[in-house]
Amino acid sequence: MELWTLTEGVEAAVREVGAKLAAQRPAEPTPGRTPQEAMARFAEVDGPAAAELRERLAALRPAAGWVDEELDGTVPAEGEWWLCDATDGAVQYLLGQPQWAVTATLVRDGAAVLAVVHAPELAGGRTYRAVLGGGAQLDGRPIAPLPRELGVTVAGTSQPPLVAADPVALRRAGESLSAMAGAVLAVRNLGPTALQVAQVGSGHLSLFWEYGADAGNLLSGALIASEAGATVTDAAGAAWTATADSFLAAAPGLHEDAVGVLRAVS
């Protein structure tokens, strides 16, 4: 099956799962005084959604494996695997906010070859999709990053789920935030990592950076951004791979300047 043809089925699956999750999302913040209480509530909605997504994608690509846990930031280096998150942006979802997404990525030999990122509650529903070598789209239309000078750039950032266990990445995240905040118009964390990186591809953000291993959250957005024409590297400007310990996506004219800002981070 050609990848673009496969993408149609993947998009249908994530849209259906997203619609069901949106219907269940609380309008008010979910009570959860402790991490255990919050995660128990989240599991009630995410578990069935993830199971449905897995069933539908397995039917589309039976030979592909399934990555069960995206939080540790690693993916298999060989073979074809589905890497998915039924409720990407769990924190926002539980707080009754619209900045969450359903993501589905087909990974081949450690690199993304197909990605769909669907945000059911942003502007009535937005869907990014891309295939390796085939470009990227938002709601069926080709996208491209927008050129801007660094001083009027809105930059996105985030931290990997387990960044607290990586003191080097945690320190670099703090140092880079100070450096970037002094160079751009504004720095924001606008929700799921995958969605923010995809938004670099469509010009809704001009750049996104992060420190720490986070392939599980970055692969889908990285494919969309790069296929749209953004420059995707590590923070030092070298080629980004799923094993890299930093990430940078930027509009081509901004990338060199962004690398220069991050160069101050040791």
Side-chain angles (χ1 to χ4, degrees):
M1 183 184 294
E2 293 294 328
L3 287 179
W4 271 123
T5 302
L6 177 61
T7 304
E8 297 291 338
V10 176
E11 181 174 341
V14 300
R15 281 179 170 273
E16 185 166 335
V17 170
K20 293 178 180 178
L21 284 165
Q24 300 174 66
R25 183 181 66 80
E28 302 298 331
T30 300
R33 186 177 57 87
T34 68
Q36 293 78 10
E37 291 174 356
M39 289 309 299
R41 172 58 183 140
F42 177 66
E44 291 177 5
V45 293
D46 183 71
E52 180 179 349
L53 190 59
R54 180 170 186 168
E55 180 181 359
R56 293 194 56 162
L57 295 183
L60 291 172
R61 199 79 163 185
W66 189 268
V67 178
D68 285 311
E69 180 57 74
E70 83 276 1
L71 293 182
D72 67 357
T74 63
V75 296
E78 297 181 352
E80 275 196 355
W81 298 83
W82 286 114
L83 177 66
C84 303
D85 195 337
T87 320
D88 191 13
V91 172
Q92 289 84 5
Y93 185 92
L94 291 174
L95 289 175
Q97 298 178 0
Q99 294 94 348
W100 58 276
V102 183
T103 69
T105 311
L106 184 64
V107 178
R108 181 182 296 156
D109 296 335
V113 296
L114 177 157
V116 175
V117 176
H118 174 57
E121 297 189 282
L122 286 185
R126 310 304 301 271
T127 306
Y128 289 89
R129 62 182 187 175
V131 299
L132 184 63
Q137 299 176 349
L138 172 58
D139 297 334
R141 302 183 302 275
I143 55 174
L146 294 178
R148 298 188 191 280
E149 294 184 1
L150 192 64
V152 294
T153 290
V154 176
T157 190
S158 189
Q159 296 83 40
L162 302 180
V163 69
D166 184 344
V168 174
L170 191 60
R171 175 179 55 77
R172 288 173 171 171
E175 292 178 0
S176 65
L177 179 59
S178 296
M180 194 64 75
V184 301
L185 180 65
V187 175
R188 298 289 185 265
N189 185 332
L190 299 176
T193 296
L195 180 59
Q196 291 188 85
V197 178
Q199 287 173 324
V200 175
S202 60
H204 290 87
L205 284 173
S206 295
L207 68 89
F208 177 94
W209 89 96
E210 184 180 272
Y211 283 93
D214 197 18
N217 287 313
L218 287 167
L219 276 164
S220 56
L223 178 64
I224 293 166
S226 62
E227 286 295 328
T231 303
V232 176
T233 66
D234 67 11
W240 183 80
T241 68
T243 60
D245 64 359
S246 62
F247 178 87
L248 171 64
L254 280 173
H255 183 266
E256 185 176 350
D257 290 339
V259 170
V261 171
L262 296 176
R263 195 169 290 133
V265 179
S266 58

